[in-house]
């Protein structure tokens, strides 16, 4: 079986990250985490990469992005509140809202071919009726869309009209290809007086998800005040090695990231070439960010869950489209953060099973 579903990369770690981890082990430095320095390092990274000025005290270090989303929902919304999400979207978004005892309000993205856009009317209806928060996936997993400044401004204006909190999951922000630019939502929201929370992490960009460290950034003074009252265990349950690796990635990992983005850029195009040649029935919009390709397989007639056919017949494991919501029926997600040889092999296996 060729596994191409979990969002991890097949690449070697950034030397700065592995050296920092080796050094910690050499020192037998495996006690509890001590994150204050990471807040400063994050601030510098945010300024360098996104021209975003973040006061270090607004940065809360948490165990992972989804943990940060849960704590935000608990701290800033009420049980039973509606939380809007825009499927097709990262499957745990559905689950996490329910775990926090809020309810999911689905506002599907609009699809035009393989281009996706926000359903503005649907979102306004959701905000007007029952959604008290929006869980934004920016850049968007699985469709690979990087919301442009104009879209973010319109979103912020809508959120302000209805007093909606925006929780912006920006875990894929380091993985934006040349041609697109990542604008943190808070940069347009805070000037408009909107409450927002940004979740970032080095876990996708530098492939260290298992080390457990993410950043939750208060996007207004009101949110900041609320976060200061979070129970200590929220910020205590982080991995020490995660803090060390994250600090190394943000401070010294930029050249590795550039090289990695070049590899991924070639891979996203290679996949387009291979699909055009061997499986032209599949729809593929080359993503502007992430190493995830969202594939429309409906013309192959493999049913709602083409990934199952590829697993059963081709021994290639992609993500199940319906897990991303009803809009994912007939679709599958392909992780191309691997070698060109494996991508080729996977497409050949898919072609044989179609
Ligand atoms: C959009 C998005 N958010 C969150 C996560 C998971 O992040 P964490 O492991 O930090 O909870 C992923 C993982 O792929 C993701 O794609």
């Amino acid at each position: 079986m060729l596994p191409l579903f979990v969002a991890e990369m097949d690449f070697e770690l950034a030397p700065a990250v592995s050296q920092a981890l080796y050094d910690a082990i050499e020192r037998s430095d495996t006690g509890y985490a001590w994150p204050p320095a990471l807040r400063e390092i994050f601030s510098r990274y945010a300024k360098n990469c996104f021209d975003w000025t973040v006061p270090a005290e607004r940065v809360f270090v948490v165990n992972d992005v989804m943990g940060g989303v849960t704590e935000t929902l608990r701290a800033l919304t009420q049980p039973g509140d509606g939380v809007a999400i825009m499927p097709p979207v990262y499957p745990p978004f559905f689950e996490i809202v329910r775990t926090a005892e809020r309810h999911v309000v689905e506002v599907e993205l609009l699809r035009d071919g393989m281009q996706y856009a926000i359903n503005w009317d649907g979102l306004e209806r959701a905000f007007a009726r029952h959604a008290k928060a929006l869980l934004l996936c920016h850049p968007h997993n699985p469709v690979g869309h990087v919301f442009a400044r104009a879209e973010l401004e319109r979103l912020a204006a809508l959120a302000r009209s209805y007093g909606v909190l925006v929780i912006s999951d920006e875990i894929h922000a380091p993985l934006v290809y040349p041609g697109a630019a990542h604008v943190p939502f808070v940069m347009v929201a805070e000037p408009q007086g909107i409450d927002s929370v940004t979740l970032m992490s080095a876990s996708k960009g530098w492939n260290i998800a298992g080390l457990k460290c993410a950043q939750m950034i208060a996007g207004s003074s009101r949110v900041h005040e609320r976060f200061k009252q979070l129970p200590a265990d929220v910020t205590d349950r982080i991995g020490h090695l995660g803090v060390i690796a994250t600090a190394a990635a943000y401070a010294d990992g930029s050249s590795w990231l550039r090289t990695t983005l070049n590899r991924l850029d070639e891979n996203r195009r290679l996949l387009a070439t291979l699909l055009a040649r061997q499986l032209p029935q599949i729809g593929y919009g080359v993503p502007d960010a992430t190493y995830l390709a969202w594939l429309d397989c409906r013309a192959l007639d493999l049913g709602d869950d083409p990934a199952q056919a590829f697993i059963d017949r081709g021994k290639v494991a992609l993500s199940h489209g319906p897990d991303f919501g009803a809009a994912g029926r007939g679709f599958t997600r392909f992780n191309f953060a691997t070698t060109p040889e494996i991508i080729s092999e996977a497409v050949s296996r898919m072609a044989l099973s179609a």
Side-chain angles (χ1 to χ4, degrees):
M1 187 69 74
L2 263 186
L4 299 174
F5 57 100
V6 183
E8 301 168 336
M9 300 197 248
D10 282 351
F11 307 151
E12 278 179 17
L13 279 178
V17 170
S18 43
Q19 194 57 52
L21 292 170
Y22 287 133
D23 290 350
I25 300 297
E26 282 290 328
R27 292 193 303 269
S28 298
D29 181 7
T30 50
Y32 289 114
W34 179 245
L38 179 56
R39 299 168 129 199
E40 304 283 348
I41 290 170
F42 180 85
S43 271
R44 282 198 289 279
Y45 161 78
K47 186 72 193 164
N48 289 341
C49 291
F50 310 115
D51 200 21
W52 172 25
T53 305
V54 192
E57 64 273 15
R58 287 255 188 116
V59 181
F60 292 77
V61 182
V62 292
N63 62 342
D64 55 21
V65 164
M66 295 315 280
V69 172
T70 309
E71 293 307 329
T72 300
L73 288 173
R74 289 198 178 128
L76 295 165
T77 64
Q78 300 299 319
D81 278 356
V83 179
I85 60 172
M86 299 196 281
V89 75
Y90 179 57
F93 273 25
F94 296 86
E95 178 81 18
I96 207 86
V97 173
R98 292 187 196 114
T99 310
E101 294 173 353
R102 279 48 174 168
H103 79 263
V104 175
V105 181
E106 293 188 43
V107 183
E108 283 184 6
L109 291 173
L110 297 176
R111 193 174 55 78
D112 176 8
M114 288 308 286
Q115 295 303 313
Y116 285 84
I118 292 174
N119 176 350
W120 295 106
D121 291 342
L123 207 53
E124 180 152 15
R125 269 196 303 278
F127 286 1
R129 285 187 199 151
H130 36 226
K132 299 282 187 276
L134 167 69
L135 179 51
L136 181 68
C137 191
H138 170 47
H140 192 97
N141 169 10
V143 309
H145 180 67
V146 181
F147 294 101
R149 185 180 284 274
E151 288 172 289
L152 298 175
E153 277 169 354
R154 189 166 169 190
L155 206 49
L158 200 59
R160 190 176 56 174
S161 306
Y162 292 94
V164 166
L165 166 78
V166 178
I167 306 166
S168 190
D169 174 346
E170 304 188 8
I171 194 170
H172 292 281
L175 295 166
V176 171
Y177 298 103
H182 182 78
V183 179
F185 176 74
V186 63
M187 287 178 70
V188 303
E190 198 171 9
Q192 295 202 38
I194 294 152
D195 283 345
S196 76
V197 174
T198 311
L199 278 312
M200 283 209 180
S201 171
S203 61
K204 295 292 139 184
W206 286 269
N207 203 30
I208 51 173
L211 296 178
K212 291 292 167 198
C213 178
Q215 300 79 52
M216 176 169 85
I217 302 100
S220 68
S221 43
R222 194 184 84 90
V223 173
H224 187 205
E225 286 310 309
R226 188 65 197 86
F227 278 180
K228 283 201 265 181
Q229 293 154 23
L230 286 172
D233 67 344
V234 172
T235 45
D236 281 354
R237 286 193 181 150
I238 42 178
H240 180 51
L241 295 179
V243 171
I244 288 172
T246 302
Y250 287 153
D252 302 311
S254 61
S255 69
W256 179 90
L257 183 65
R258 257 194 311 279
T259 311
T260 301
L261 267 176
N262 287 340
R263 288 175 79 173
L264 294 173
D265 189 7
E266 282 170 21
N267 286 357
R268 69 181 173 146
R269 294 170 203 281
L270 170 69
L271 183 59
T273 308
L274 294 171
L275 289 172
R277 231 183 265 147
Q278 296 178 53
L279 280 165
Q281 310 91 319
I282 288 187
Y284 167 46
V286 178
D288 290 331
T290 81
Y291 46 74
L292 307 164
W294 184 235
L295 305 180
D296 178 357
C297 304
R298 287 171 306 162
L300 291 176
D301 240 353
L302 296 173
D304 279 353
D305 187 11
Q308 198 55 51
F310 295 136
I311 291 169
D312 295 341
R313 303 185 202 160
K315 297 272 174 277
V316 53
L318 310 179
S319 301
H320 300 281
D323 290 350
F324 295 77
R329 288 189 194 131
F331 287 69
T332 184
R333 194 191 70 177
F334 183 120
N335 175 341
F336 56 78
T338 184
T339 60
E341 293 73 26
I342 289 181
I343 295 172
S344 263
E345 173 66 21
V347 174
S348 302
R349 291 188 190 196
M350 288 164 70
L352 285 175
S353 33

